[in-house]
Amino acid sequence: MTRVHVWGAAGYAAGEAIRLLRNHPLLEIGALESRSHAGQALADHFPALRSTAYRFDDPGAVCARVRPGDVVIAAGGHGEALGFVPGLLAQGARVIDLSSDYRFDAAVAYGLSEWHRDAIATAGLVANPGCYPTAALLALLPLAGIVELQHVIVDAKSGITGAGRTPSIGSLYAEVAGDIRAYGLAGHRHQPEIERLLALGGVRASLTFTPHVVPLARGMLADAYLICRRPPDAPEVRDAFERAYRDSPFVRVLAQDRAPCVAAVVGTNDAELHVDVTGCIVRVICAIDNLGKGAAGQAVQNLNIMLGFPEETGLHARAFVA
Amino acid sequence: MTRVHVWGAAGYAAGEAIRLLRNHPLLEIGALESRSHAGQALADHFPALRSTAYRFDDPGAVCARVRPGDVVIAAGGHGEALGFVPGLLAQGARVIDLSSDYRFDAAVAYGLSEWHRDAIATAGLVANPGCYPTAALLALLPLAGIVELQHVIVDAKSGITGAGRTPSIGSLYAEVAGDIRAYGLAGHRHQPEIERLLALGGVRASLTFTPHVVPLARGMLADAYLICRRPPDAPEVRDAFERAYRDSPFVRVLAQDRAPCVAAVVGTNDAELHVDVTGCIVRVICAIDNLGKGAAGQAVQNLNIMLGFPEETGLHARAFVA
Amino acid sequence: MTRVHVWGAAGYAAGEAIRLLRNHPLLEIGALESRSHAGQALADHFPALRSTAYRFDDPGAVCARVRPGDVVIAAGGHGEALGFVPGLLAQGARVIDLSSDYRFDAAVAYGLSEWHRDAIATAGLVANPGCYPTAALLALLPLAGIVELQHVIVDAKSGITGAGRTPSIGSLYAEVAGDIRAYGLAGHRHQPEIERLLALGGVRASLTFTPHVVPLARGMLADAYLICRRPPDAPEVRDAFERAYRDSPFVRVLAQDRAPCVAAVVGTNDAELHVDVTGCIVRVICAIDNLGKGAAGQAVQNLNIMLGFPEETGLHARAFVA
Amino acid sequence: MTRVHVWGAAGYAAGEAIRLLRNHPLLEIGALESRSHAGQALADHFPALRSTAYRFDDPGAVCARVRPGDVVIAAGGHGEALGFVPGLLAQGARVIDLSSDYRFDAAVAYGLSEWHRDAIATAGLVANPGCYPTAALLALLPLAGIVELQHVIVDAKSGITGAGRTPSIGSLYAEVAGDIRAYGLAGHRHQPEIERLLALGGVRASLTFTPHVVPLARGMLADAYLICRRPPDAPEVRDAFERAYRDSPFVRVLAQDRAPCVAAVVGTNDAELHVDVTGCIVRVICAIDNLGKGAAGQAVQNLNIMLGFPEETGLHARAFVA
């Protein structure tokens, strides 16, 4: 049994990670550190953990209890991991960081499981991808070398848990219910992350990215439109997706007559993809759970890869949050 | 044109009040004071006011601009009105306070419009009722002297705007969506308010009160169960309701075959009531909008009463928030 | 491996049952018969079953394939089971009927698992309880013989899946969202079911029952108010609940400072209960998932009891529907 | 007072039209014909009309009561208007048809108010635009002659009332809540409508159109991405929008730092637009209420244009449906 600690344990992604760790047959839960909720019962904070007896540990608990060979899931706010991850690595722990702190660091493994298995397997530190980048990259990376691109548009729709659990007016029920809103029109943190990984993956094109919030707790649908310089061959495009995900148990390339939807993936680590080609336009639609494949699910998948477990271990049971 | 200022203008009830004041043909809007949002455009804060050019005024604006004959709607947090309302009254303003600060003060008019018209008409200061008390009292007061009560149960369901717009985890979209929760089981601020007004209104009975939050931005349904000492006469009970609200344009006593629902009242100042009798049990169900009849709508209704306008003035147009 | 067939497989309770059966280690799925959806893929109909290859079987499939020792979950509309269940029993199958058809039949085991384990264990036919009766009876039965009752009020709030998957205007998204509605004010099918089981369980009192629909796909909260003839002893009341459910893995009697909520039980077979006593009033609040403990979850629990499996087998994983 | 009849009065767009007609100072309501709901009270069918005494008229009522100079709003299903509109025109009525029946007829005025005022003013029959085409065309038509286009992508998100009030599984609360789904991937009825009007409006480009359903009763957000052959001049693009809608009271071209949202337009006849330019890409985001500007609101706006009333008459009050 490998021990896994969670730093920043009171957020939505952390809660989902704890739910998954708890059901994982080869892992045990260590410290669950939270500055804001230290001492409180997780049962009062996460309804899905109601029947558990866990309590949030005090600040410093992860650092105090970590042992060589342990894994730490760092689920703090952006900017915090830079301060304490080096210390954990020095203590012999391996770390999966859910923040954006290490996603632009060329020395750190970027954890899009299906595309970076080898690097993840041997990494001491994995930068877990953002939710939008996960959906966008799953939709775009298979086409590297297959199409010659002029421009890429990603129009993404997300549930509000992507904004985290720190209270703000924009995340209140009465603000999100009944609304669809575009945001980040002047630039979103995830745009350079997508651009960097596209370039690394050999997809060369400028990107327009528009995120939206829709009235949903969990789930994300991203529509990618690839404007190609010449009409691609539709079977070849489709084949590229089937080859890319043939051995990936969590990614479903849908038959042409089935449309992707969030309900089919929410509470899971699954992604589903639709692909079609019309003239110079390739349209790829990707549905994931922003807390599943877009955060905690992928973190556990990466943990399995790091520890040499089968990729699906502990990831079969659906969550139920909303 | 009477000028109306709003103190604490950034909350949900304040926003709804401003929307109503703006459509009111006999009122003009004065200062819109907000400590937290001073200087910001209301259009960015209240989608329903998107086409307006209002800005939140700085702290002190109401006090500086108020003139004798003006009205102030005080929509601050509980405990704040006690500090500044006396000054406003001394400046010659009339005040409608939406907080609980004056609801237990025997010298202040309690503003349940349908039951206290005379006191409201001449008052300098009106304590606007809480949302739960409004629904409960509209359901219970008609039966004073009609039934002999042993006990009263009020089981109420509310939208989350009743908790205000100050960010908290419990009001986040992802917490409220998909949940029904009971709360305040050890006692809720509105229970003594209901008890006090029942006693003043001649309804003598002990009270059990259970509030709940359901996934809704606005709206409230309260089920009142009156356990009587002997079986009441059903036609007499029904008649009591019809007499009580015969001249009240905002209260509908429904035919027996129609069930009350929030959708029929939300965005309005309406209340709808169902009454039935089985043996010793009278069941009264009341639907209101917690921000309408339960807060801002009733405030404007009271304002109309205070200023001698027809009670419905400016209250015809439905809101659309969610 | 015992084989389980589902009759009426396209409804919400059936979908949830199939999800549970699929994860059950000691059961295998047989025919999935649906008149309305014969031939269609379950993956297109139930997002939670998206990754499966099941198809709905034609009318007659259950009857044709059933063998002695098989179990049939009958999930058809009310009135249909009477027509085909006797034939299945004659073929040697055991049946769990989710409709109301057999709930008033003294010769049939009523399947409220925690209260009728012995009868269920040996039954050929189990009448699975309605969702409202499940919540109400879990809240009321422990007090048989403990309190002397004058009257009982049950005020229940339910998600809309309780109304089934047959399309009707009242179940449309645009009708349910933003509304709270009382219904069945002139009488609801579940009222006599509750009354019958209370009488059988030794709880003697008249009952007022008010169901409501709130904007929720799944989940139910029932508030039971027991008006007693004399003030009960609070510790004795609480003790009655703890004794009643001491050996019931799915029922949580909450500490006094924790309030029940749907989010804590939805997607599970759990029930959680709050109990308090004030004067002559006992208040019991029960939260369940109407499709879980209120339908399919309890059906699988009963199936485990019938087959001699541990009660929790296959019921650990949370669903995620909404 | 001009008399307005509604044919197909039980649908969502019809209900919203009746609400608007009722508040319109220069119109009176005539027959409200419904085959499915004849004889029933509108108060039981449309919560927003709860305080009215209207009843649905029998089939044939519009035809029987229409007089020369009356207007008929035809809100039936697609395919039905072709059968009865010619007769109404022959009786001297003017007709606004909300179905798609006449939207491809070159002899009929297409009713996108802001772009076809002159034709609407003198028309006997107006084909009211679909909701998606309304949003897409408001976003795209200002750029005719301003940019040279290679391709246009419209990614649209809609509330479920766009699917109408006829019950179907896909419109049920439990299907729509918690989901985002793409649909119509093989082609949607509104795509050729958009293409035809773009061509007529001088916008020459191929179109990719992806509609989505999000968990919302009312509202629509359409993101249009225009891929231009050369980088357009940003101030010129912005200026084109400001000129196009300078005299249009219902269309707001937002400042660059404000993002469009459904909450700002829902319940109104408003549209709000964001425009930005990056390299060869123009991004235009348009928010409308699919039942307001996308259906009934625009119908009343067109009615005002036909009758020579100020365009805003009767369209100030917000609806509240959800």
Side-chain angles (χ1 to χ4, degrees):
Chain A
M1 300 288 274
T2 299
R3 202 160 57 146
V4 183
H5 311 275
V6 181
W7 190 92
Y12 285 123
E16 179 69 354
I18 296 163
R19 187 188 68 80
L20 291 168
L21 296 173
R22 194 173 157 250
N23 291 328
H24 196 292
L26 303 174
L27 300 174
E28 62 180 339
I29 291 180
L32 301 173
E33 176 175 338
S34 166
R35 199 166 41 216
S36 55
H37 289 72
Q40 298 181 26
L42 273 75
D44 287 325
H45 193 65
F46 294 121
L49 298 172
R50 184 71 148 228
S51 57
T52 68
Y54 301 124
R55 289 192 172 271
F56 291 110
D57 292 299
D58 290 333
V62 169
C63 211
R65 294 174 51 189
V66 78
R67 294 286 170 271
D70 287 3
V71 179
V72 178
I73 294 181
H78 302 297
E80 301 184 313
L82 290 171
F84 69 89
V85 164
L88 294 173
L89 297 173
Q91 288 182 270
R94 298 172 82 179
V95 178
I96 298 175
D97 180 29
L98 270 57
S99 82
S100 60
D101 288 12
Y102 289 98
R103 292 182 195 151
F104 294 85
D105 186 332
V108 173
Y110 186 82
L112 186 64
S113 323
E114 283 72 16
W115 290 89
H116 308 111
R117 282 188 183 92
D118 293 348
I120 295 164
T122 59
L125 169 59
V126 171
N128 218 57
C131 48
Y132 288 122
T134 296
L137 295 169
L138 288 175
L140 296 170
L141 288 179
L143 292 173
I146 304 289
V147 296
E148 197 185 337
L149 285 169
Q150 177 184 341
H151 193 73
V152 171
I153 288 159
V154 174
D155 185 294
K157 302 93 181 142
S158 175
I160 190 66
T161 48
R165 206 180 194 188
T166 305
S168 74
I169 288 183
S171 300
L172 294 180
Y173 182 87
E175 308 292 316
V176 174
D179 198 13
I180 312 172
R181 69 173 102 118
Y183 72 106
L185 296 179
H188 184 283
R189 178 169 39 81
H190 284 170
Q191 169 138 1
E193 182 179 338
I194 300 170
E195 287 169 338
R196 174 174 180 261
L197 271 292
L198 286 181
L200 289 175
V203 179
R204 258 157 266 284
S206 54
L207 170 71
T208 299
F209 172 55
T210 316
H212 303 77
V213 170
V214 300
L216 202 66
R218 293 172 68 149
M220 170 172 289
L221 195 90
D223 296 65
Y225 302 93
L226 299 93
I227 296 100
C228 305
R229 295 195 187 279
R230 56 190 62 85
D233 180 59
E236 194 182 345
V237 164
R238 189 166 179 85
D239 188 55
F241 278 86
E242 281 167 0
R243 269 184 295 113
Y245 298 119
R246 183 169 295 148
D247 299 319
S248 292
F250 295 113
V251 181
R252 284 193 294 274
V253 181
L254 297 180
Q256 289 295 97
D257 62 345
R258 192 167 279 172
C261 69
V262 158
V265 297
V266 78
T268 77
N269 193 46
D270 294 352
E272 60 181 37
L273 289 162
H274 164 94
V275 195
D276 63 44
V277 180
T278 309
C280 284
I281 309 297
V282 181
R283 176 170 61 181
V284 192
I285 309 179
C286 178
I288 61 168
D289 182 340
N290 60 302
L291 293 184
K293 182 65 185 166
Q298 186 154 253
V300 173
Q301 185 182 0
N302 287 336
L303 214 152
N304 287 336
I305 296 171
M306 291 166 89
L307 298 173
F309 304 152
E311 221 164 283
E312 297 177 87
T313 316
L315 286 168
H316 284 292
R318 294 198 146 222
F320 198 120
V321 182
Chain B
M1 301 286 274
T2 299
R3 205 161 54 150
V4 184
H5 310 275
V6 180
W7 191 93
Y12 286 123
E16 178 69 354
I18 295 164
R19 189 189 67 81
L20 291 168
L21 296 173
R22 193 173 157 250
N23 291 329
H24 196 291
L26 303 173
L27 300 174
E28 60 180 340
I29 292 180
L32 300 173
E33 176 175 338
S34 166
R35 199 166 41 216
S36 55
H37 289 72
Q40 298 181 25
L42 273 75
D44 287 325
H45 193 64
F46 294 122
L49 297 172
R50 185 69 149 231
S51 58
T52 69
Y54 301 122
R55 288 192 172 272
F56 291 110
D57 291 300
D58 290 334
V62 168
C63 211
R65 293 174 54 188
V66 78
R67 297 285 169 270
D70 287 2
V71 179
V72 177
I73 294 180
H78 302 295
E80 301 185 313
L82 290 171
F84 68 91
V85 163
L88 293 172
L89 297 172
Q91 288 182 270
R94 300 173 82 178
V95 177
I96 298 175
D97 180 30
L98 269 58
S99 83
S100 60
D101 288 12
Y102 289 99
R103 292 184 195 151
F104 293 85
D105 185 332
V108 173
Y110 186 83
L112 186 65
S113 321
E114 284 71 17
W115 290 90
H116 308 112
R117 282 187 182 93
D118 292 348
I120 295 164
T122 59
L125 170 58
V126 172
N128 218 57
C131 49
Y132 287 122
T134 296
L137 295 169
L138 288 175
L140 296 170
L141 289 178
L143 292 173
I146 304 290
V147 296
E148 198 184 337
L149 287 168
Q150 177 184 342
H151 194 72
V152 171
I153 289 159
V154 174
D155 185 294
K157 302 92 181 146
S158 176
I160 190 65
T161 49
R165 206 179 195 188
T166 305
S168 74
I169 287 183
S171 300
L172 293 180
Y173 183 86
E175 308 293 316
V176 174
D179 198 13
I180 311 172
R181 70 172 101 117
Y183 70 108
L185 296 180
H188 185 283
R189 178 169 38 82
H190 284 170
Q191 170 139 359
E193 182 180 336
I194 301 171
E195 287 169 338
R196 174 174 180 261
L197 271 292
L198 285 181
L200 289 175
V203 179
R204 257 156 267 283
S206 53
L207 170 71
T208 299
F209 171 56
T210 316
H212 303 77
V213 170
V214 299
L216 201 67
R218 295 171 66 150
M220 170 173 288
L221 196 90
D223 296 65
Y225 302 92
L226 298 93
I227 296 99
C228 306
R229 294 195 187 279
R230 56 192 62 86
D233 179 59
E236 195 182 345
V237 164
R238 188 164 180 86
D239 188 54
F241 278 87
E242 280 167 0
R243 270 183 295 114
Y245 298 119
R246 184 170 295 148
D247 300 319
S248 292
F250 294 113
V251 182
R252 285 193 294 274
V253 181
L254 297 179
Q256 288 296 96
D257 61 346
R258 193 168 279 173
C261 69
V262 159
V265 297
V266 77
T268 77
N269 192 46
D270 294 351
E272 59 181 38
L273 288 162
H274 165 93
V275 195
D276 63 43
V277 181
T278 309
C280 284
I281 309 296
V282 181
R283 175 171 60 180
V284 192
I285 309 179
C286 178
I288 61 168
D289 182 339
N290 61 303
L291 293 184
K293 182 65 184 167
Q298 186 154 256
V300 172
Q301 185 182 1
N302 287 337
L303 213 152
N304 287 337
I305 295 171
M306 291 167 89
L307 298 173
F309 304 153
E311 220 165 283
E312 297 176 88
T313 315
L315 287 167
H316 284 293
R318 292 197 147 222
F320 198 119
V321 181
Chain C
M1 300 287 274
T2 298
R3 204 160 55 147
V4 184
H5 311 275
V6 181
W7 191 93
Y12 285 123
E16 179 68 354
I18 295 163
R19 188 188 67 81
L20 292 168
L21 295 173
R22 194 173 156 250
N23 292 329
H24 196 292
L26 303 173
L27 300 174
E28 61 180 339
I29 292 180
L32 301 172
E33 175 175 339
S34 166
R35 198 166 43 215
S36 55
H37 289 71
Q40 298 180 25
L42 273 74
D44 287 325
H45 193 65
F46 294 121
L49 298 172
R50 184 70 148 230
S51 58
T52 68
Y54 301 123
R55 290 192 171 272
F56 290 111
D57 291 299
D58 290 333
V62 169
C63 211
R65 294 174 52 188
V66 79
R67 296 285 170 272
D70 288 1
V71 179
V72 178
I73 294 181
H78 302 295
E80 300 184 313
L82 291 171
F84 67 90
V85 164
L88 294 172
L89 297 172
Q91 289 181 269
R94 298 174 81 179
V95 178
I96 298 175
D97 180 30
L98 270 58
S99 83
S100 60
D101 288 12
Y102 289 98
R103 293 184 195 151
F104 293 85
D105 185 332
V108 173
Y110 186 83
L112 186 65
S113 322
E114 283 71 16
W115 291 90
H116 308 110
R117 283 188 182 92
D118 293 348
I120 295 164
T122 58
L125 169 60
V126 171
N128 217 58
C131 49
Y132 287 122
T134 295
L137 296 169
L138 288 175
L140 296 170
L141 288 178
L143 292 173
I146 303 290
V147 296
E148 196 184 339
L149 286 168
Q150 178 185 340
H151 193 73
V152 172
I153 289 158
V154 174
D155 185 293
K157 303 92 181 142
S158 175
I160 190 66
T161 48
R165 207 179 193 188
T166 306
S168 73
I169 287 183
S171 300
L172 294 180
Y173 183 87
E175 309 292 317
V176 174
D179 198 13
I180 312 170
R181 68 173 101 118
Y183 70 107
L185 297 179
H188 184 283
R189 178 168 39 80
H190 284 169
Q191 170 137 1
E193 183 180 336
I194 300 170
E195 287 169 339
R196 174 174 181 262
L197 271 291
L198 285 181
L200 289 175
V203 179
R204 258 156 267 284
S206 53
L207 171 71
T208 299
F209 172 55
T210 316
H212 303 77
V213 170
V214 299
L216 202 67
R218 293 171 68 149
M220 170 172 288
L221 195 89
D223 296 65
Y225 302 93
L226 299 93
I227 296 99
C228 306
R229 294 195 189 278
R230 57 191 62 86
D233 180 58
E236 193 181 347
V237 163
R238 188 165 181 87
D239 188 55
F241 279 86
E242 281 166 1
R243 270 184 294 113
Y245 299 118
R246 184 171 296 150
D247 301 319
S248 292
F250 294 113
V251 181
R252 286 193 293 273
V253 182
L254 297 180
Q256 288 297 96
D257 62 346
R258 193 166 279 173
C261 69
V262 159
V265 296
V266 77
T268 76
N269 192 46
D270 294 352
E272 60 181 37
L273 287 162
H274 164 93
V275 195
D276 63 44
V277 180
T278 309
C280 285
I281 310 296
V282 181
R283 175 171 60 181
V284 192
I285 309 180
C286 178
I288 61 167
D289 181 340
N290 60 302
L291 293 184
K293 183 64 184 167
Q298 186 154 254
V300 172
Q301 185 181 0
N302 287 337
L303 213 152
N304 287 336
I305 296 172
M306 290 166 89
L307 298 173
F309 304 153
E311 220 165 282
E312 298 176 87
T313 316
L315 287 168
H316 284 291
R318 294 199 144 221
F320 198 120
V321 182
Chain D
M1 301 288 273
T2 299
R3 204 160 54 147
V4 183
H5 311 275
V6 180
W7 191 92
Y12 285 122
E16 179 68 354
I18 296 164
R19 189 190 66 81
L20 292 168
L21 295 173
R22 194 173 156 249
N23 290 328
H24 196 292
L26 303 173
L27 300 174
E28 61 180 340
I29 291 179
L32 301 172
E33 176 174 337
S34 166
R35 199 165 43 216
S36 55
H37 288 72
Q40 298 180 25
L42 273 75
D44 287 325
H45 193 65
F46 294 121
L49 298 172
R50 184 69 148 228
S51 58
T52 68
Y54 301 122
R55 288 191 172 272
F56 291 110
D57 292 298
D58 291 333
V62 169
C63 211
R65 293 175 53 188
V66 78
R67 295 287 170 271
D70 287 3
V71 179
V72 177
I73 294 180
H78 302 298
E80 301 184 314
L82 290 171
F84 69 89
V85 164
L88 294 173
L89 296 172
Q91 287 181 272
R94 298 174 81 179
V95 177
I96 298 175
D97 180 30
L98 269 60
S99 83
S100 60
D101 288 13
Y102 289 99
R103 292 183 195 152
F104 293 85
D105 186 331
V108 173
Y110 186 82
L112 186 66
S113 320
E114 283 71 18
W115 290 91
H116 308 111
R117 282 188 182 93
D118 293 348
I120 295 164
T122 58
L125 170 59
V126 170
N128 217 58
C131 49
Y132 287 122
T134 295
L137 295 169
L138 288 175
L140 296 170
L141 288 178
L143 292 173
I146 304 289
V147 296
E148 198 184 337
L149 287 169
Q150 178 185 339
H151 193 72
V152 171
I153 289 159
V154 174
D155 185 293
K157 303 93 181 142
S158 176
I160 190 65
T161 49
R165 206 179 195 188
T166 305
S168 73
I169 287 183
S171 300
L172 294 181
Y173 182 87
E175 308 293 316
V176 174
D179 197 14
I180 312 172
R181 70 172 102 119
Y183 71 107
L185 296 179
H188 184 283
R189 180 169 38 81
H190 283 169
Q191 170 138 358
E193 183 180 336
I194 300 170
E195 287 169 337
R196 175 174 178 261
L197 271 291
L198 286 180
L200 289 175
V203 178
R204 258 157 266 284
S206 53
L207 170 71
T208 299
F209 171 55
T210 317
H212 303 77
V213 170
V214 300
L216 200 68
R218 292 171 68 150
M220 169 172 289
L221 196 90
D223 296 65
Y225 302 92
L226 299 92
I227 295 100
C228 306
R229 295 195 187 278
R230 56 191 63 86
D233 179 58
E236 193 182 346
V237 163
R238 189 166 178 86
D239 187 55
F241 278 86
E242 281 167 1
R243 270 183 296 113
Y245 299 117
R246 184 169 295 149
D247 300 318
S248 291
F250 294 112
V251 181
R252 284 192 295 274
V253 182
L254 297 180
Q256 288 296 97
D257 62 346
R258 192 166 281 171
C261 70
V262 158
V265 297
V266 78
T268 76
N269 193 46
D270 294 352
E272 60 182 37
L273 288 162
H274 165 93
V275 195
D276 64 43
V277 180
T278 308
C280 285
I281 309 296
V282 182
R283 175 171 61 181
V284 193
I285 309 179
C286 178
I288 61 168
D289 182 340
N290 61 302
L291 293 184
K293 183 65 185 166
Q298 186 154 253
V300 172
Q301 185 182 0
N302 287 336
L303 213 153
N304 287 336
I305 295 172
M306 290 167 90
L307 297 173
F309 304 153
E311 221 166 280
E312 297 177 87
T313 317
L315 287 168
H316 284 292
R318 292 197 149 224
F320 199 119
V321 182

